[in-house]
Amino acid sequence: FWLGATCCMAGSALSGLGSAVTELVLVRKKRDTLVFSAELAALSAVSLCLNLVLDLNGDGQRVQARGLFSSWDSWTLAPVVANSLGGLAVGAVTKYFGSVRKGFAITFGLVLSAVLRVVVTGRSISPAVAIALPLASGGIILHLAQPRRQQPMEAEAKKRE
């Protein structure tokens, strides 16, 4: 239990940090979304190459034995392209609406996919989803119910405008 809870909290903290850094770079520093996405893609490629060279999980041996693209077919590109387009969309949403609203959109997407799963496939949602959806929705309601307080620097900046 503690290992899982610790990993979940660490993942959530890193996700929040990633959203905050992304919003800082895209909104406050006015970085172009496509350039930022390309930089993230380049860092991901370096990370993957290091994994292959150092053989951290056995993939390096498999690539040396069979080749990098040996298991690929024409359908392999579908998730790669979908993930790329999704990354660009997330960057644009973060830049123009902020990371909090992006979190709202992700939660709404989870609710929508759970409803569609029940409607389209007839299968029920898992107990974990049944617990997570009301908690996430409740968090959004609590956030929206509290008015945002202006920080002293923001109030001063509005006075100058």
Side-chain angles (χ1 to χ4, degrees), residues 2-144:
W2 290 109
L3 177 63
T6 302
C7 289
C8 182
M9 287 187 282
S12 296
L14 289 172
S15 176
L17 177 65
S19 288
V21 170
T22 300
E23 187 172 345
L24 172 78
V25 169
L26 292 175
V27 176
R28 292 207 170 81
K29 303 227 184 239
K30 307 245 187 271
R31 190 71 176 227
D32 184 71
T33 307
L34 293 176
V35 172
F36 185 66
S37 293
E39 291 168 344
L40 289 177
L43 285 173
S44 295
V46 168
S47 171
L48 290 171
C49 288
L50 278 173
N51 178 47
L52 291 176
V53 168
L54 299 175
D55 195 25
L56 298 175
N57 63 353
D59 284 345
Q61 288 179 349
R62 280 190 287 270
V63 167
Q64 286 178 351
R66 291 184 256 162
L68 185 59
F69 301 106
S70 64
S71 300
W72 284 45
D73 60 16
S74 58
W75 286 105
T76 307
L77 288 178
V80 173
V81 171
N83 197 18
S84 301
L85 294 175
L88 293 173
V90 166
V93 167
T94 303
K95 181 172 184 166
Y96 297 111
F97 298 106
S99 56
V100 173
R101 288 185 181 149
K102 179 192 81 171
F104 292 166
I106 290 170
T107 304
F108 178 73
L110 292 173
V111 171
L112 181 63
S113 26
V115 169
L116 287 175
R117 176 184 173 160
V118 171
V119 170
V120 173
T121 67
R123 295 187 317 194
S124 63
I125 58 175
S126 69
V129 172
I131 293 169
L133 288 178
L135 287 174
S137 300
I140 289 175
I141 291 168
L142 287 174
H143 178 80
L144 293 175

